[in-house]
Amino acid sequence: MPTCLINGHSSELISSYDRGLLYGDGLFETMAVVDGMVPLWQLHLDRLHRGCEKLHLACPAPNELQQEVEQLASKSDRAIMKLILTRGVGGRGYLSPPVPAPTRILQFHPWPELPRSNWETGIKAIFCAQRLARQPVLAGIKHLNRLEQVLARAEWQDPTIQEGLLANTEGDIIEAVSHNLFIVKENGLVTPDLQFCGVAGVMREYILKLVMEKGISVQIATLSRQDVLAAEAVFLCNSVHGIWPVCELDGKHYQQNDLVYALRDAVAQMIPYP
């Protein structure tokens, strides 16, 4: 069984002239596989379409993508699928080829071994010194240029720290290195405004819809470092891990919160934690 498909064919090789390699000219999606299926497939596909529109990039046919995903995922109980879409091969220089031929890469990865405590009692996090640049054109989409996250993740080696929170150049807290952020305030939720930077995660989108259906108050707002530290509770989310409560942030300890754990359990019905 192949572990990587490139344009539908089993391979691990791309051209050294691919614009995804040369310029980060493309998008990606990281998806959980559960019992041979991708639970949030439609939300991933919708975000991919939004990203393609922003980058003026041709989006693969949904049926073709779904067939390839199913080909790799069908025999796995738990795994991670990564979809990478680039503008394809181009010559030297930033100008795109007149008729791009996008490169479509689908990678299959084993499920990582992570401690159950990340879900049950929560994780330890820090504030990162690295800042996110404000660029509204690229805000929300999951483009291939992740250098800010690479630099931020290099800020800690302590294995007891699982995540770092990132602010933008104005000092507003935006997200974690590989998760979106929610805080609990007055029994409702607040999540950062991502109109200028940050990744609009599919799990974030799922949770926003879930809490609105349940009648829970939720706001999208500007959050300061002090807002996060003063919160009743904090949790992080992404499409692979579901919800991780934060039990400690830069020395601040948070109590277990019923709302956070109820949401964690609701998400775990779709993407079970170990």
Side-chain angles (χ1 to χ4, degrees):
M1 180 177 170
T3 57
C4 185
L5 297 177
I6 299 180
N7 294 328
H9 302 286
S10 179
S11 177
E12 295 182 355
L13 303 176
I14 64 168
S15 169
S16 60
Y17 293 98
D18 193 281
R19 290 176 62 88
L21 172 65
L22 297 177
Y23 307 117
D25 189 359
L27 304 160
F28 73 102
E29 295 287 330
T30 305
M31 305 171 284
V33 175
V34 179
D35 295 329
M37 305 291 289
V38 176
L40 294 170
W41 170 245
Q42 190 58 51
L43 293 180
H44 284 290
L45 189 61
D46 291 344
R47 182 174 62 179
L48 184 69
H49 274 279
R50 293 193 297 269
C52 285
E53 288 177 358
K54 280 200 172 186
L55 296 186
H56 308 291
L57 183 62
C59 194
N63 290 344
E64 184 177 42
L65 271 181
Q66 187 164 358
Q67 288 174 2
E68 292 175 4
V69 167
E70 290 175 354
Q71 179 182 346
L72 291 185
S74 60
K75 296 182 180 180
S76 176
D77 294 333
R78 293 298 296 269
I80 294 175
M81 194 86 66
K82 186 169 183 178
L83 169 64
I84 303 168
L85 182 67
T86 82
R87 205 175 300 274
V89 173
R92 182 182 176 278
Y94 293 130
L95 182 65
S96 300
V99 185
T103 300
R104 187 176 68 258
I105 303 168
L106 197 61
Q107 298 175 341
F108 182 86
H109 299 274
W111 192 261
E113 292 186 10
L114 293 168
R116 190 177 177 88
S117 60
N118 287 6
W119 290 266
E120 291 192 333
T121 57
I123 66 161
K124 182 178 178 181
I126 61 170
F127 288 106
C128 293
Q130 175 65 39
R131 296 295 181 99
L132 296 173
R134 287 160 53 96
Q135 174 47 276
V137 173
L138 299 179
I141 66 174
K142 206 160 185 181
H143 54 78
L144 290 177
N145 190 327
R146 298 288 113 194
L147 286 177
E148 292 169 328
Q149 286 73 21
V150 169
L151 292 173
R153 183 58 188 85
E155 291 186 24
W156 78 89
Q157 303 298 323
D158 183 348
T160 67
I161 297 172
Q162 285 78 33
E163 257 291 16
L165 299 193
L166 289 162
N168 63 19
T169 50
E170 303 296 307
D172 306 320
I173 303 299
I174 301 298
E175 61 189 1
V177 174
S178 59
H179 294 76
N180 283 118
L181 168 71
F182 283 83
I183 69 168
V184 178
K185 182 179 180 180
E186 298 174 355
N187 295 317
L189 298 182
V190 187
T191 192
D193 187 341
L194 305 179
Q195 65 174 316
F196 294 112
C197 58
V199 174
V202 298
M203 182 56 73
R204 174 182 182 267
E205 183 178 354
Y206 179 83
I207 290 170
L208 287 171
K209 292 178 180 178
L210 177 65
V211 297
M212 286 189 283
E213 289 171 1
K214 290 180 177 293
I216 299 168
S217 168
V218 61
Q219 300 177 55
I220 297 175
T222 300
L223 288 179
S224 69
R225 179 172 176 148
Q226 186 55 39
D227 289 330
V228 178
L229 290 173
E232 297 167 34
V234 175
F235 69 87
L236 306 179
C237 66
N238 70 22
S239 60
V240 172
H241 299 146
I243 286 177
W244 280 356
V246 174
C247 62
E248 182 180 346
L249 173 60
D250 262 14
K252 163 66 185 289
H253 293 268
Y254 298 92
Q255 299 296 318
Q256 294 187 3
N257 181 273
D258 290 343
L259 175 56
V260 173
Y261 282 83
L263 291 172
R264 178 206 62 185
D265 292 345
V267 168
Q269 294 179 25
M270 176 179 57
I271 303 178
Y273 60 85

